[in-house]
Amino acid sequence: MLRRGDPDRFLAAMAAPVAARHVLFPIYAFNLEVARAPWVTQEPMIAEMRLQWWRDALGEIREGGLVRRHEVVTPLAHVLDGACAARLEALIEARRWDIYREPFADPAAFERYINDTSGSLLAVTALALGSADEGVLADAGYALGLANWLRAIPALEAAGRIPLVDGRPEALRALASGGLARLNRARRARHKVSRAARPALLPLWQAGPVLALAERAPNAVAEGALDIAPARSRLTLMLRASSGLW
């Protein structure tokens, strides 16, 4: 499922230790299913019902009782505690934005979306693996989410969405610069993330180059030219995974 639908996180998970993969794959598969829910139908009500299904599944995991049998929910219940399940509900709520075509109300709403989607996912995967500083996870999650969002902008616009509050080059440059600053701050505090939790940070391997390119050449965002060359991307992931310096 991940190989087809989320190849970047699939590669990051495959670069992680085998024991960590048993945690990463169910959580990443949950994220993929929730992210796809608003896009598989043109009917907002059906999309809302799909998100509610996942919200109900998380509720079952949070309560610790009987959990529905499902190819993702069943393994997910084995790796999440109640607190992490509750935290992922913010991710589902944020994905409601994807159903409709209204723009973000303001920069704070955009940042909240990135924090509640990418930030929540990264924090839950890290804490499901081991201990980690919440501030480091918040900075890393925002940087990763912003990088992925900037890469997705041409597709979002083609689908009729308005992905940015301000799409001018100078605004994009400032946005990317802010993401880089948070990424660098997170990396300066790597010691606050336990060895066990580090595999959750491996998806960051492309974030730095993507944000740096967007800062340097903001027109590349609209052109869909932020992807890193595959050979360089794979080598960077290998180096990050072997060194532990996400």
Side-chain angles (χ1 to χ4, degrees):
M1 184 187 298
L2 281 169
R3 186 186 291 113
R4 295 191 306 270
D6 194 346
D8 287 347
R9 285 195 175 89
F10 170 76
L11 290 174
M14 291 301 295
V18 173
R21 295 177 204 167
H22 292 294
V23 175
L24 297 175
F25 276 124
I27 300 175
Y28 289 162
F30 159 82
N31 177 65
L32 175 60
E33 289 291 274
V34 171
R36 287 197 302 205
W39 300 94
V40 296
T41 176
Q42 296 295 318
E43 295 294 333
M45 182 61 68
I46 295 176
E48 292 274 14
M49 291 171 62
R50 287 177 178 270
L51 290 181
Q52 184 61 48
W53 190 95
W54 286 102
R55 190 179 288 110
D56 293 343
L58 283 181
E60 294 168 0
I61 296 173
R62 186 183 66 248
E63 293 168 7
L66 186 64
V67 175
R68 63 194 65 188
R69 292 178 60 83
H70 182 267
E71 62 178 341
V72 174
V73 178
T74 303
L76 187 67
H78 292 293
V79 301
L80 292 184
D81 60 18
C84 284
R87 194 160 184 165
L88 287 176
E89 291 180 3
L91 185 155
I92 294 176
E93 180 61 26
R95 285 295 181 185
R96 295 184 65 242
W97 182 89
D98 298 341
I99 298 174
Y100 304 101
R101 297 177 185 272
E102 288 79 7
F104 291 106
D106 50 38
F110 172 76
E111 183 172 341
R112 185 164 55 252
Y113 176 92
I114 299 296
N115 288 335
D116 287 347
T117 52
S118 177
S120 294
L121 179 67
L122 189 142
V124 166
T125 53
L127 296 173
L129 289 169
S131 61
D133 179 80
E134 290 276 1
V136 174
L137 297 179
D139 282 339
Y142 176 81
L144 176 59
L146 178 61
N148 288 340
W149 190 257
L150 294 178
R151 292 169 67 193
I153 279 178
L156 289 166
E157 291 181 335
R161 303 306 194 270
I162 304 174
L164 294 169
V165 177
D166 186 345
R168 295 174 301 160
E170 55 269 33
L172 281 170
R173 185 175 287 114
L175 196 62
S177 178
L180 273 174
R182 293 190 65 173
L183 177 60
N184 291 332
R185 184 168 65 186
R187 285 177 168 164
R188 287 194 299 270
R190 283 189 183 101
H191 62 281
K192 296 182 179 180
V193 178
S194 68
R195 182 178 297 274
R198 287 177 194 170
L201 283 296
L202 284 176
L204 283 160
W205 97 87
Q206 297 181 98
V210 167
L211 292 172
L213 179 55
E215 181 185 41
R216 185 171 65 252
N219 289 336
V221 175
E223 295 167 2
L226 292 180
D227 288 335
I228 310 304
R232 178 189 173 193
S233 176
R234 295 290 185 94
L235 178 60
T236 302
L237 175 58
M238 290 171 58
L239 293 173
R240 295 286 183 189
S242 60
S243 68
L245 300 177
W246 46 267

